[in-house]
Amino acid sequence: MTKNTNVRISLPAVCFVWQIAMIILFGVFVRYNEESDTHWIEHRRRKNISTNLENDFYYRYPSFQDVHVMIFVGFGFLMTFLKRYSFGGVGFNFLIAAFGIQWALLMQGWFHHLDSADWKIKIGIENLINADFCVAGCLIAYGACLGKVSPVQLMVLTLFGVTLFAVEEYIILELLHVKDAGGSMVIHTFGAYYGLTISWILYRPMLSLSKHVQGSVYHSDVFAMIGTLFLWMFWPSFNSAIADHGDGQHRAVINTYLALASSVLTTFAISSLLRKHGKLDMIHIQNATLAGGVAMGTASEFMITPYGSLIVGFCTGIVSTLGYQFLTPFMEKTLKIQDTCGIHNLHAMPGVIGGIVGAVTAASASESVYGKEGLINTFDFKDAITNRTVSIQGGYQAAGLCVAIAFGLAGGALVGGILKLPIWGDPADGNCFDDDVYWEVPEDEVEDEDIASRHPNMNHAGSMADVYQRSNV
Amino acid sequence: MTKNTNVRISLPAVCFVWQIAMIILFGVFVRYNEESDTHWIEHRRRKNISTNLENDFYYRYPSFQDVHVMIFVGFGFLMTFLKRYSFGGVGFNFLIAAFGIQWALLMQGWFHHLDSADWKIKIGIENLINADFCVAGCLIAYGACLGKVSPVQLMVLTLFGVTLFAVEEYIILELLHVKDAGGSMVIHTFGAYYGLTISWILYRPMLSLSKHVQGSVYHSDVFAMIGTLFLWMFWPSFNSAIADHGDGQHRAVINTYLALASSVLTTFAISSLLRKHGKLDMIHIQNATLAGGVAMGTASEFMITPYGSLIVGFCTGIVSTLGYQFLTPFMEKTLKIQDTCGIHNLHAMPGVIGGIVGAVTAASASESVYGKEGLINTFDFKDAITNRTVSIQGGYQAAGLCVAIAFGLAGGALVGGILKLPIWGDPADGNCFDDDVYWEVPEDEVEDEDIASRHPNMNHAGSMADVYQRSNV
Amino acid sequence: MTKNTNVRISLPAVCFVWQIAMIILFGVFVRYNEESDTHWIEHRRRKNISTNLENDFYYRYPSFQDVHVMIFVGFGFLMTFLKRYSFGGVGFNFLIAAFGIQWALLMQGWFHHLDSADWKIKIGIENLINADFCVAGCLIAYGACLGKVSPVQLMVLTLFGVTLFAVEEYIILELLHVKDAGGSMVIHTFGAYYGLTISWILYRPMLSLSKHVQGSVYHSDVFAMIGTLFLWMFWPSFNSAIADHGDGQHRAVINTYLALASSVLTTFAISSLLRKHGKLDMIHIQNATLAGGVAMGTASEFMITPYGSLIVGFCTGIVSTLGYQFLTPFMEKTLKIQDTCGIHNLHAMPGVIGGIVGAVTAASASESVYGKEGLINTFDFKDAITNRTVSIQGGYQAAGLCVAIAFGLAGGALVGGILKLPIWGDPADGNCFDDDVYWEVPEDEVEDEDIASRHPNMNHAGSMADVYQRSNV
């Protein structure tokens, strides 16, 4: 029944090997770009740039920091909801995100930013944002596996996840010229199907043995709300962070803000409708309220109109909440997919909806709405795709969605197979969702001597205090 | 003694009806403005704007995100301090803010941004900030009612609150040409009197039946500090978010930063002075430290001088802390106003002080201090009010304060009357401050089988563990 | 054994006296600078500044807000990890930071920004950032003393700490012309040695009497992770906040981002390596992951290259984690330095490493890498130091490090001596790490009547519920 969960050799080994590899590869490949290099002043003169403010840093830094908060506090705290897995939720999220952003800078750099003159990757603020985006895919996948995998498995999941992401992103954005500023397809759909497939392969038939620690407690639910709210508040930054300067970023913020607001109301409505006495379920509030942001990822830059954004949020809030109620148990029982955080409801379905919304919105774009220049700028109808029409663009958008799903499924199958090897130190079925396996967990609440010292006249209750203390360990 | 708190029909109905109404009204009325529309590039050319950075988005987006954090995490977590009402504090705050910002975009749009050419509201980043501001008034009002109302009542409170706010704001800012960048009057004074009047009308004579869950526990007080600190840190953004570009925003930040710092010291001082052994009270620290920000709302743009800001913070810290100690119990006992969060001390009094400070500072402004252009820019002495003098401006500022109070009282009376109808599913007096009424609350701490599985030799203590478990449910 | 910890007179007195002194000194000395004054519009015209965006406010405000979050939420919540000292951790951090920023504006103003024309200090957004930086030194020092000092002592520690900081900073930055944008030396090294020396002088031989409350509990560790993550995420803003406009800020962000990511991996690796079964220690994760940010403080503006940043983070993560494991117990036992938060591992060692890295990087700078202008801009080789070479600059950097250490040690000795006076109301050895001394602490969890009201048939367990309740007080 018990498994060897000792990671004392494997975890340090993986961390060291991969970090050293990063240093070597960065040494060979990565340099500052012209905006973060001390030659910027010469570059400015050459390009006749009148002010330091035109450095992309000032366009994107505030959005970058918001995205950074979403990755580390947003995803991290959202996963603290389990009563005894808060350390693992926020801690392993921290570990794999910190590794993933480094590997993403390299992978995305090789595909998108390799300077053909000297074969170096030149990085700036936009690369940092993209690295954060890339790692988001893996954190979504972690959500399906939360509590059931070892940190070593997570490092492997992230290594492959980032790699697959970079390839998929290259195909969708560069080869197919699909627009996906907020990553409904590239990030959410891919990440979700990647994680779900892994979870399906790692199916644990006896997981009910860990049922006693699978739920939340009162305060762990409040911690999770920190994650929810920081994700919710900063999602407009997520969807606008790499959108076009000017109206592109501006419009993406408005659309996302509205879709998210709308999701909240339908989530509360459906959650209340589903339970006796109309009592709300924290799982719904923590998750489905975010569905509008996911679904607005592709179309956020488009002229979807404010009420269009509200409609998207309206529908995804409903779909996502119903998913938590009906689909997750169904998937676990029938499809053998154990999805701890319900990423199918928060990322897979809203991501797919977002991709479809993007395709439809693109296909129905018109010069009368966008203006001649606006249409070209929004869809980048220049260079190789100068003559592409909006309906063809719509088709490519749909194709991009399929690529994302395909990469998620195939990649998940591959990586799931690797993670099934019995060498990674994962917990036994009865040992899941328990920080005690990988963390030094403090004894909870006041200790025996503490009680005794404060209540010296409690001798008569000695044995009881003893029970009390142990029962809290 | 018990009341029907079943909101299974009413809450979903209200959420759906209002969200659908929003979609329809947005469809009819709301469009992107020239800075968030794809025609921005043509607009730039027409207006000879040299860079995308001149898009208002780049002036205001960082402040907007900070304000957004204050609304959802700041107000939300400040209201988690009750031991068994943290879900309701942060969750209902989330619900009504998400609804309120939509309704505020419409209401404020109709009053301030209706394009007479096509009868559309054209929205951009400043509208989003103003919508967040508007909803702040309702969240303040929620503070007085925390734990004693149903989510349906809160939706009604917000619907009317936003409506009243938009009218009051129109009168104060557009008709009276009063300056109130951070909303001491428009937001805080109005919101507080609105909430207090409602609470007065909904007086619960037997509220002491819920006394056992009215206090805080150790960790809920720490959660509330998250709210306090995010409010405190981002208040400079709140007061500067819609201030004038350039020196206006810059000065508003400095003034608010200083007033807040000063409040902290006097709050700690008075709190310590009031208790045996000088022990500090968390309620004071969580709330009164913010009073300087409230009171600096009106004058933050003015040349109040750095030491003037310190003095404002100094006084309001004292007033607010004394209010928590003496006024709140007095109001409950004598005036029959039950003010759960003490908004009278944090918003009403500092808001009124802020309004008076603004009036006095405006009246004593002079060309020698502001410069000729500076005076005109700061007070907008142009168009309809070109010839207004500073002393007349001071009078109008005072009039604005009266309008805010009047709207709060009258609006609260109206809405309080509506909320008194016995159809809203509010809890009985002995059932307040308890999440169990409207939320699925998880069983707390480790469960029975958990204890048993970890301590298999604890059979002799079976009955005790049993008691322990149940006593924690 | 017990000491008088009554601060009912001393704490209010100190708060009032110091706040009133601030108001008087601000009244005499502090005014708005030309960018935050209403004369800005005339200033713009005079200097031919084309847009409001050139107001330094727009370059620095987003970074300022991030730094502000680090000071109040970052440091504050990092110190909530103790099971019964979370109020004191976050609350006293709030108090002394709010006082310290005011005093820092004055001290730094006198040394750096005194306008010789009218003997006024003219403040703007950069002064606010520097004030936050200055206070960080004192908050680091607080980390060593956490739980063992009274709030009055902390106010004294801050008063002297800010004073010493301003002098030290003046010597290092203005007289020696040393570069230290993120303060590895000026902030971290100084602050850490200042705090450690104070802690050494205030050595408590019988501190083990408080051992029962010295550890963490599960949820206090999660609270501390809020602090860790906000520090970690916003450290790029910290190191870039006052860096040069344009490439300087941009490069500082990239370098810090990478060093921090690298620290995380080596911290996890070493933490796992040190414990049975490879179990991770939350203390390491909460602290050592930040070491890369500290160590990148000096060199963040330099062309240290991306892989150079990774190497710095790699090494400091290891050093810091090993420090927590081996040095802290050694220092406590042998050197009689009780360092509650382990600031020696997080700030002193990484700070010194950062200073050395900065000196070496500066000494090895070259025109071929930086460009002629880039070299001059980065190191400010103009005015008094036009002819300084990079190797001489390296020497000065090293000298700056020595000044920081010397000020920390000497200042700590002085202030430690003052704080040893028996008049400050500090707790007895057996009374440390306990909020009950200075705070009204709520009774924990559900109360007796609550249990009774929910379980009316529990009479037979009356005495047990009673024990349960008291044992939680």
Side-chain angles (χ1 to χ4, degrees):
Chain A
M1 258 303 294
T2 58
K3 275 177 138 180
N4 181 7
T5 57
N6 191 330
V7 292
R8 193 170 178 179
I9 304 301
S10 55
L11 182 59
V14 166
C15 288
F16 273 121
V17 168
W18 293 0
Q19 188 58 56
I20 290 167
M22 289 301 111
I23 291 173
I24 294 168
L25 290 168
F26 269 65
V28 176
F29 285 106
V30 182
R31 298 294 179 270
Y32 306 115
N33 74 8
E34 70 277 359
E35 298 190 304
S36 57
D37 189 285
T38 45
H39 293 85
W40 158 250
I41 189 159
E42 298 165 22
H43 178 81
R44 263 184 66 184
R45 201 178 305 122
R46 216 163 38 238
K47 299 266 176 158
N48 207 15
I49 297 170
S50 65
T51 162
N52 275 319
L53 284 165
E54 287 291 338
N55 194 310
D56 198 34
F57 180 79
Y58 298 102
Y59 284 95
R60 307 223 181 265
Y61 190 63
S63 311
F64 160 67
Q65 278 292 6
D66 294 347
V67 172
H68 218 41
V69 171
M70 293 173 73
I71 298 298
F72 290 89
V73 161
F75 282 104
F77 271 87
L78 190 56
M79 294 197 275
T80 59
F81 73 100
L82 289 169
K83 70 177 89 168
R84 297 302 295 176
Y85 208 71
S86 301
F87 288 9
V90 68
F92 294 150
N93 182 79
F94 192 19
L95 171 65
I96 63 177
F99 164 66
I101 53 180
Q102 299 177 56
W103 181 227
L105 282 171
L106 283 167
M107 283 301 302
Q108 294 181 314
W110 283 322
F111 277 108
H112 299 281
H113 292 95
L114 202 59
D115 185 335
S116 57
D118 57 3
W119 298 102
K120 302 294 184 203
I121 300 162
K122 306 289 173 63
I123 62 171
I125 189 72
E126 195 169 336
N127 300 70
L128 306 191
I129 297 171
N130 275 311
D132 274 16
F133 276 6
C134 179
V135 104
C138 298
L139 303 182
I140 292 165
Y142 177 29
C145 310
L146 184 73
K148 302 175 297 183
V149 289
S150 76
V152 182
Q153 284 178 307
L154 287 173
M155 292 292 282
V156 174
L157 178 152
T158 306
L159 179 75
F160 284 96
V162 168
T163 311
L164 289 159
F165 182 100
V167 177
E168 165 235 28
E169 183 192 39
Y170 178 73
I171 295 171
I172 295 175
L173 303 189
E174 305 279 314
L175 299 187
L176 302 180
H177 292 280
V178 165
K179 301 295 287 181
D180 195 15
S184 290
M185 302 178 278
V186 171
I187 300 169
H188 296 286
T189 305
F190 164 74
Y193 285 107
Y194 180 59
L196 290 167
T197 313
I198 291 174
S199 192
W200 176 66
I201 292 177
L202 301 182
Y203 180 69
R204 290 169 173 278
M206 304 293 285
L207 190 60
S208 61
L209 289 171
S210 294
K211 209 180 150 193
H212 57 291
V213 281
Q214 199 175 354
S216 62
V217 288
Y218 195 68
H219 281 165
S220 71
D221 269 330
V222 183
F223 277 120
M225 279 303 288
I226 297 174
T228 298
L229 288 175
F230 275 102
L231 287 170
W232 194 91
M233 296 180 304
F234 288 165
W235 217 294
S237 295
F238 194 91
N239 284 351
S240 71
I242 57 165
D244 289 341
H245 289 179
D247 63 292
Q249 290 195 288
H250 203 152
R251 193 167 50 255
V253 162
I254 294 172
N255 289 332
T256 311
Y257 176 94
L258 292 173
L260 286 162
S262 184
S263 283
V264 174
L265 270 87
T266 49
T267 299
F268 272 83
I270 300 292
S271 183
S272 175
L273 207 54
L274 290 171
R275 292 293 151 83
K276 228 170 73 177
H277 293 105
K279 288 190 186 189
L280 297 158
D281 190 322
M282 258 293 172
I283 293 174
H284 303 157
I285 309 305
Q286 283 158 3
N287 292 281
T289 50
L290 300 166
V294 175
M296 195 42 78
T298 302
S300 64
E301 276 188 291
F302 302 164
M303 293 287 283
I304 190 171
T305 72
Y307 67 91
S309 304
L310 289 180
I311 293 171
V312 170
F314 187 92
C315 299
T316 45
I318 296 172
V319 169
S320 186
T321 312
L322 291 174
Y324 276 96
Q325 182 70 11
F326 302 111
L327 262 184
T328 300
F330 169 80
M331 284 170 62
E332 175 151 4
K333 213 181 282 182
T334 314
L335 305 181
K336 311 289 181 203
I337 301 174
Q338 291 152 332
D339 178 6
T340 313
C341 295
I343 63 166
H344 185 262
N345 315 304
L346 175 50
H347 298 280
M349 290 193 297
V352 170
I353 291 172
I356 294 167
V357 166
V360 172
T361 316
S364 58
S366 70
E367 224 171 271
S368 67
V369 171
Y370 284 73
K372 194 174 163 58
E373 282 174 286
L375 196 64
I376 293 171
N377 288 342
T378 305
F379 294 101
D380 284 327
F381 287 156
K382 52 193 174 188
D383 302 333
I385 60 164
T386 309
N387 299 316
R388 194 182 273 188
T389 65
V390 292
S391 39
I392 294 180
Q393 178 68 26
Y396 275 100
Q397 296 281 142
L401 179 59
C402 299
V403 173
I405 295 172
F407 262 81
L409 296 174
L414 170 74
V415 176
I418 294 170
L419 296 182
K420 227 181 153 54
L421 299 176
I423 58 173
W424 304 114
D426 52 313
D429 286 3
N431 232 356
C432 289
F433 313 120
D434 193 346
D435 274 332
D436 211 31
V437 178
Y438 302 113
W439 298 84
E440 302 277 349
V441 177
E443 291 186 15
D444 239 11
E445 306 305 330
V446 279
E447 286 170 43
D448 203 26
E449 64 259 66
D450 182 32
I451 295 170
S453 70
R454 291 180 183 217
H455 303 276
N457 54 350
M458 252 179 64
N459 289 345
H460 66 283
S463 64
M464 297 177 56
D466 195 46
V467 168
Y468 168 72
Q469 185 217 341
R470 274 188 290 144
S471 67
N472 271 285
V473 172
Chain B
M1 256 305 294
T2 57
K3 273 176 140 182
N4 181 8
T5 57
N6 191 330
V7 291
R8 195 171 178 180
I9 302 304
S10 55
L11 182 58
V14 166
C15 287
F16 273 122
V17 168
W18 293 1
Q19 187 58 56
I20 290 168
M22 290 301 110
I23 291 173
I24 294 168
L25 290 168
F26 270 66
V28 176
F29 285 106
V30 182
R31 297 295 178 271
Y32 306 114
N33 73 9
E34 71 275 1
E35 298 190 305
S36 58
D37 189 284
T38 44
H39 293 84
W40 158 251
I41 190 159
E42 298 164 23
H43 178 82
R44 264 184 66 184
R45 200 176 310 122
R46 217 163 37 238
K47 299 265 177 159
N48 206 14
I49 296 169
S50 63
T51 162
N52 276 319
L53 283 165
E54 288 292 339
N55 194 309
D56 197 35
F57 180 78
Y58 298 101
Y59 283 96
R60 308 222 180 265
Y61 190 62
S63 312
F64 160 66
Q65 278 292 6
D66 294 348
V67 171
H68 219 39
V69 171
M70 292 173 73
I71 297 300
F72 290 89
V73 161
F75 281 103
F77 271 86
L78 190 56
M79 293 196 275
T80 59
F81 72 100
L82 290 169
K83 70 177 85 169
R84 296 302 294 176
Y85 207 72
S86 301
F87 288 9
V90 70
F92 294 150
N93 182 80
F94 192 20
L95 171 65
I96 63 177
F99 163 66
I101 54 180
Q102 298 177 55
W103 181 227
L105 283 171
L106 283 166
M107 282 301 302
Q108 294 181 316
W110 283 321
F111 277 109
H112 299 282
H113 293 94
L114 201 60
D115 187 333
S116 57
D118 58 2
W119 297 101
K120 302 294 185 203
I121 300 163
K122 307 289 171 65
I123 62 171
I125 189 72
E126 194 168 336
N127 300 70
L128 306 190
I129 298 172
N130 275 311
D132 274 17
F133 276 7
C134 180
V135 104
C138 297
L139 303 182
I140 292 165
Y142 178 28
C145 311
L146 184 73
K148 303 174 297 181
V149 288
S150 77
V152 183
Q153 284 179 307
L154 287 172
M155 292 291 282
V156 174
L157 179 152
T158 306
L159 179 74
F160 284 96
V162 167
T163 311
L164 290 160
F165 182 100
V167 177
E168 164 235 30
E169 184 192 39
Y170 179 72
I171 295 172
I172 295 175
L173 302 189
E174 304 279 313
L175 299 187
L176 303 180
H177 292 278
V178 164
K179 301 295 285 183
D180 196 15
S184 290
M185 301 179 280
V186 171
I187 301 169
H188 297 286
T189 304
F190 164 74
Y193 285 107
Y194 180 59
L196 290 167
T197 312
I198 291 173
S199 194
W200 176 67
I201 291 176
L202 301 182
Y203 180 69
R204 291 170 172 277
M206 304 293 285
L207 191 59
S208 59
L209 288 170
S210 293
K211 208 179 150 192
H212 57 291
V213 280
Q214 197 174 356
S216 62
V217 289
Y218 196 68
H219 281 165
S220 71
D221 268 330
V222 183
F223 277 120
M225 279 303 287
I226 297 174
T228 299
L229 287 175
F230 274 102
L231 287 170
W232 194 91
M233 296 180 303
F234 288 164
W235 216 294
S237 294
F238 194 91
N239 284 350
S240 70
I242 56 164
D244 288 341
H245 289 179
D247 64 291
Q249 289 194 290
H250 202 152
R251 191 166 52 254
V253 162
I254 295 173
N255 289 333
T256 311
Y257 176 95
L258 291 173
L260 286 161
S262 183
S263 283
V264 175
L265 270 88
T266 49
T267 300
F268 272 83
I270 300 292
S271 182
S272 175
L273 207 55
L274 291 171
R275 292 290 152 82
K276 229 170 76 176
H277 294 105
K279 288 190 185 188
L280 297 158
D281 190 321
M282 258 292 172
I283 293 175
H284 304 156
I285 309 306
Q286 283 159 2
N287 292 282
T289 51
L290 301 165
V294 174
M296 194 44 77
T298 302
S300 63
E301 276 190 290
F302 302 164
M303 293 287 282
I304 191 172
T305 73
Y307 68 90
S309 305
L310 289 180
I311 293 171
V312 170
F314 188 92
C315 299
T316 46
I318 295 172
V319 169
S320 185
T321 313
L322 292 173
Y324 277 96
Q325 181 70 10
F326 301 111
L327 263 183
T328 300
F330 169 81
M331 283 169 61
E332 175 150 4
K333 213 180 283 178
T334 314
L335 304 181
K336 310 291 182 202
I337 300 175
Q338 290 153 332
D339 178 6
T340 313
C341 294
I343 62 166
H344 185 263
N345 315 304
L346 176 50
H347 297 281
M349 290 193 296
V352 170
I353 292 173
I356 295 168
V357 167
V360 172
T361 317
S364 57
S366 70
E367 224 172 271
S368 66
V369 170
Y370 284 73
K372 191 174 165 56
E373 281 173 286
L375 196 63
I376 292 170
N377 288 341
T378 305
F379 295 100
D380 284 327
F381 287 156
K382 53 194 175 189
D383 303 334
I385 59 164
T386 310
N387 298 315
R388 194 182 271 188
T389 65
V390 292
S391 39
I392 294 178
Q393 178 68 27
Y396 275 99
Q397 296 281 141
L401 180 58
C402 298
V403 172
I405 295 173
F407 262 81
L409 296 175
L414 170 74
V415 177
I418 295 170
L419 297 182
K420 226 177 155 55
L421 299 175
I423 57 173
W424 304 115
D426 51 315
D429 287 3
N431 232 357
C432 289
F433 313 122
D434 192 347
D435 274 331
D436 211 32
V437 177
Y438 301 114
W439 297 84
E440 301 277 349
V441 177
E443 290 187 15
D444 238 10
E445 307 304 332
V446 279
E447 288 171 39
D448 203 24
E449 64 260 65
D450 182 33
I451 295 169
S453 70
R454 291 182 183 215
H455 303 274
N457 55 349
M458 252 179 65
N459 289 345
H460 65 282
S463 64
M464 297 177 58
D466 195 46
V467 167
Y468 167 71
Q469 185 220 341
R470 274 188 290 143
S471 68
N472 271 284
V473 171
Chain C
M1 256 305 292
T2 57
K3 274 175 138 183
N4 181 7
T5 57
N6 190 330
V7 291
R8 194 171 178 179
I9 303 302
S10 55
L11 182 59
V14 166
C15 287
F16 272 122
V17 169
W18 292 0
Q19 188 57 55
I20 290 167
M22 289 301 110
I23 291 174
I24 295 168
L25 290 169
F26 270 66
V28 177
F29 285 107
V30 182
R31 298 293 179 272
Y32 305 115
N33 74 9
E34 70 275 0
E35 298 189 305
S36 56
D37 189 285
T38 44
H39 292 84
W40 158 251
I41 190 159
E42 298 164 23
H43 178 81
R44 265 184 66 184
R45 201 178 307 123
R46 215 162 39 236
K47 299 264 176 159
N48 207 14
I49 296 168
S50 65
T51 162
N52 275 319
L53 283 165
E54 287 292 337
N55 193 310
D56 198 35
F57 180 78
Y58 298 101
Y59 282 96
R60 307 221 180 267
Y61 190 62
S63 312
F64 160 67
Q65 278 292 6
D66 294 347
V67 171
H68 218 42
V69 171
M70 293 174 72
I71 298 298
F72 290 89
V73 160
F75 282 103
F77 271 86
L78 190 57
M79 294 198 274
T80 58
F81 72 101
L82 289 170
K83 70 176 88 167
R84 298 301 294 176
Y85 207 73
S86 301
F87 288 8
V90 70
F92 294 151
N93 182 81
F94 192 19
L95 171 65
I96 63 177
F99 163 67
I101 53 180
Q102 298 178 55
W103 180 228
L105 282 171
L106 283 166
M107 282 300 302
Q108 293 181 317
W110 284 322
F111 277 109
H112 299 281
H113 293 95
L114 201 58
D115 186 332
S116 57
D118 58 2
W119 298 102
K120 303 292 185 205
I121 299 162
K122 306 288 173 62
I123 62 171
I125 188 73
E126 194 170 336
N127 300 69
L128 305 191
I129 298 172
N130 274 311
D132 274 17
F133 277 6
C134 180
V135 103
C138 297
L139 303 182
I140 292 165
Y142 177 29
C145 310
L146 184 72
K148 303 175 298 182
V149 288
S150 76
V152 183
Q153 284 178 308
L154 287 172
M155 291 292 281
V156 175
L157 178 153
T158 306
L159 179 75
F160 283 97
V162 168
T163 311
L164 290 159
F165 182 99
V167 177
E168 165 235 29
E169 184 191 38
Y170 178 72
I171 295 172
I172 295 175
L173 302 189
E174 303 279 314
L175 299 187
L176 302 180
H177 291 281
V178 164
K179 301 294 287 181
D180 195 15
S184 290
M185 302 180 278
V186 170
I187 300 168
H188 297 286
T189 305
F190 163 74
Y193 285 108
Y194 179 60
L196 290 166
T197 312
I198 291 173
S199 193
W200 175 67
I201 291 176
L202 301 183
Y203 180 69
R204 291 171 173 276
M206 305 293 284
L207 190 59
S208 60
L209 289 170
S210 294
K211 209 180 148 192
H212 57 289
V213 280
Q214 198 173 355
S216 61
V217 288
Y218 195 67
H219 281 166
S220 70
D221 269 329
V222 183
F223 276 120
M225 279 303 288
I226 297 174
T228 299
L229 288 175
F230 275 102
L231 287 170
W232 194 91
M233 296 179 304
F234 288 165
W235 217 295
S237 294
F238 193 91
N239 285 352
S240 70
I242 56 164
D244 288 342
H245 291 178
D247 64 291
Q249 289 195 288
H250 203 152
R251 191 166 53 254
V253 162
I254 295 172
N255 288 332
T256 310
Y257 176 95
L258 291 173
L260 286 162
S262 183
S263 283
V264 174
L265 270 87
T266 50
T267 298
F268 271 84
I270 299 292
S271 183
S272 175
L273 208 56
L274 290 171
R275 292 291 152 83
K276 228 170 76 176
H277 294 106
K279 288 191 186 186
L280 297 157
D281 190 323
M282 257 292 171
I283 293 174
H284 304 156
I285 309 306
Q286 283 159 2
N287 292 280
T289 50
L290 301 165
V294 175
M296 195 42 79
T298 303
S300 63
E301 274 189 292
F302 302 163
M303 293 287 283
I304 191 171
T305 73
Y307 67 91
S309 304
L310 289 180
I311 294 171
V312 170
F314 188 93
C315 299
T316 46
I318 296 173
V319 168
S320 185
T321 313
L322 291 174
Y324 277 96
Q325 181 71 10
F326 301 111
L327 262 182
T328 299
F330 169 81
M331 283 170 63
E332 174 151 5
K333 212 182 281 177
T334 315
L335 303 182
K336 311 289 183 203
I337 300 175
Q338 290 153 333
D339 178 6
T340 314
C341 294
I343 62 166
H344 186 262
N345 315 304
L346 176 49
H347 297 281
M349 289 193 299
V352 170
I353 291 172
I356 295 168
V357 166
V360 171
T361 316
S364 57
S366 72
E367 225 170 270
S368 66
V369 171
Y370 284 73
K372 193 175 162 57
E373 281 174 286
L375 196 63
I376 292 171
N377 287 343
T378 305
F379 294 102
D380 283 327
F381 288 155
K382 52 193 175 189
D383 303 332
I385 61 164
T386 309
N387 298 316
R388 194 184 271 189
T389 65
V390 292
S391 39
I392 293 179
Q393 179 68 26
Y396 274 99
Q397 296 280 144
L401 180 58
C402 299
V403 172
I405 296 173
F407 261 82
L409 297 174
L414 171 73
V415 176
I418 295 169
L419 296 183
K420 226 179 153 54
L421 298 176
I423 58 173
W424 304 115
D426 51 313
D429 287 3
N431 231 356
C432 289
F433 313 122
D434 192 346
D435 274 332
D436 210 32
V437 178
Y438 302 114
W439 298 84
E440 302 277 350
V441 177
E443 290 185 17
D444 239 11
E445 308 304 331
V446 279
E447 287 171 43
D448 204 25
E449 64 259 64
D450 182 32
I451 296 170
S453 69
R454 291 179 184 219
H455 302 277
N457 56 348
M458 252 180 64
N459 289 343
H460 66 282
S463 64
M464 297 178 57
D466 194 46
V467 168
Y468 169 70
Q469 184 218 341
R470 274 189 289 142
S471 69
N472 270 284
V473 172

